Amino acid sequence: MKKIYLDYNASTPISPEVFAAMEPYFMNQFGNPSSSHWASSEAKEAIYKARSQVARLIGCDSDEVIFTSGGSESNNQALKGLYEALRSKGNHVITSKIEHPAIISPCEYLESIGAKVSYVDVDQYGKVNPAQIEKEITESTILITVMHANNEVGTIQPIKDIGNIAKKHGIVFHTDAAQSMGKIPVNVNELGVDLLSIAGHKLYAPKGIGALYIRKGTPITSFIHGAGHEDGRRAGTENTPYIVGLGKACELAEKKLATQNKLAALRNYFWEQLKVIYGDSIVLNTELDDCLPNTLSVSFVGVEGEKILEKVPELAASTGSACHSGNVELSSVLKAMGVSEHVGKGAIRFSIGRYTTKEELEDALSLLKSRIVLS
């Protein structure tokens, strides 16, 4: 069975260059970077370099980057740490209805300890209206958190506009950039964010490593307490190999940003051919012009996405619905976008990446055409 991977938004393979950069720190350069002897110096220097590589990609200073275990930890530290630091000034948080669970769940936790959270609607394409964000602001608002790009449908949010609103009102602004990093430009100053989350495994680095950008002067408490690692902001002996991997991945992403038009061209070709095969029986779930260049979210009208993928096991892709006890349940993202169950139950996200070829897409189209017939 020829396997075709079209689920890069779920996770990316570690690039060969990243693996090569990491390898020495597993065996030979194993010293604890917090020690003060010869065995620690190379690891310490490697972490310093990696921090600079991450900072360069997002346009900040090195000392504004801390390393975490991944995007979920970064999001949790951003939300919980900011709330703890500013809860004496207010308890109101604003977010959107289509955030990743790593944002929604921390928001629900904050609500359980006294926070008030406003969940802003999105339009039919999954986009937040900045004016609606501003409308929700009160005297007790201390944090706005809106993802840079949606993981499911790929919609890019108007982060710069929201950032201007946050700055005008003196409110801390966080964005989850797990999906946008390496696919579109991400510059913290241009976006106007104070906190930004990064997930390594979306960026051709390993799972289990991430980073959090914290703008100088932003009050935030530690999420993990212990010794004084990461300048006292995140305790735990540094995971040197994985930190090195994330740094290298960011360096490569900076170089490869200019090639993202090729991904968009492949994505657009795949969509055009799907339309040729299925006509009006397949629809887009968002606009392609303001979407991640690698992401295609479509619905096969009147059928279930899970059943389509079951018939084409060679394809690795993700659905936008789940079946529980015979009932199809749409994702929170599709629900917030107002997608009907009839359409949404057939949602599939195809996400391509650095190693996707046109030949693979041709094979995927052939498999779908031969096994999935829509009336």
Side-chain angles (χ1 to χ4, degrees), residues 19 31 48 76 121 138 147 160 174 187 247 282 314 317 323 328 336 344 352 367:
F19 184 78
Y48 178 84
N76 272 264
D121 290 324
T138 70
M147 66 191 343
K160 185 176 181 179
H174 165 259
N187 183 288
I282 190 170
E314 296 92 337
C323 186
V328 174
I352 63 177
L367 288 169

Side-chain angles (χ1 to χ4, degrees), residues 36 44 68-69 87 139 163 216 218 252 307 332:
S36 57
K44 191 177 298 182
T68 67
S69 65
R87 64 187 307 174
E139 291 182 357
K216 287 184 178 72
T218 302
L252 293 171
K307 291 184 178 179
S332 59

Side-chain angles (χ1 to χ4, degrees), residues 179 193 262 282 368:
Q179 285 296 342
V193 297
K262 295 181 180 179
I282 190 170
L368 289 166

Side-chain angles (χ1 to χ4, degrees), residues 280-347:
D280 293 338
S281 294
I282 190 170
V283 296
L284 279 172
N285 289 321
T286 191
E287 297 176 314
L288 295 184
D289 291 340
D290 208 5
C291 178
L292 291 174
N294 77 315
T295 305
L296 180 68
S297 175
V298 298
S299 284
F300 294 79
V301 181
V303 296
E304 295 177 14
E306 282 288 352
K307 291 184 178 179
I308 290 175
L309 294 182
E310 286 174 5
K311 291 182 180 179
V312 193
E314 296 92 337
L315 294 186
S318 294
T319 63
S321 61
C323 186
H324 300 288
S325 302
N327 296 318
V328 174
E329 182 178 330
L330 300 190
S331 71
S332 59
V333 173
L334 295 180
K335 286 180 181 177
M337 291 167 59
V339 177
S340 69
E341 183 176 306
H342 179 66
V343 172
K345 69 180 182 180

Side-chain angles (χ1 to χ4, degrees), residues 108-119:
E108 292 172 345
Y109 166 76
L110 292 179
E111 287 181 289
S112 75
I113 61 171
K116 294 181 180 179
V117 181
S118 296
Y119 298 90

Side-chain angles (χ1 to χ4, degrees), residues 3-8 309 312-318 349-351:
K3 297 178 180 178
I4 304 170
Y5 190 74
L6 300 178
D7 205 16
Y8 278 79
L309 294 182
V312 193
E314 296 92 337
L315 294 186
S318 294
R349 180 195 68 195
F350 299 103
S351 49

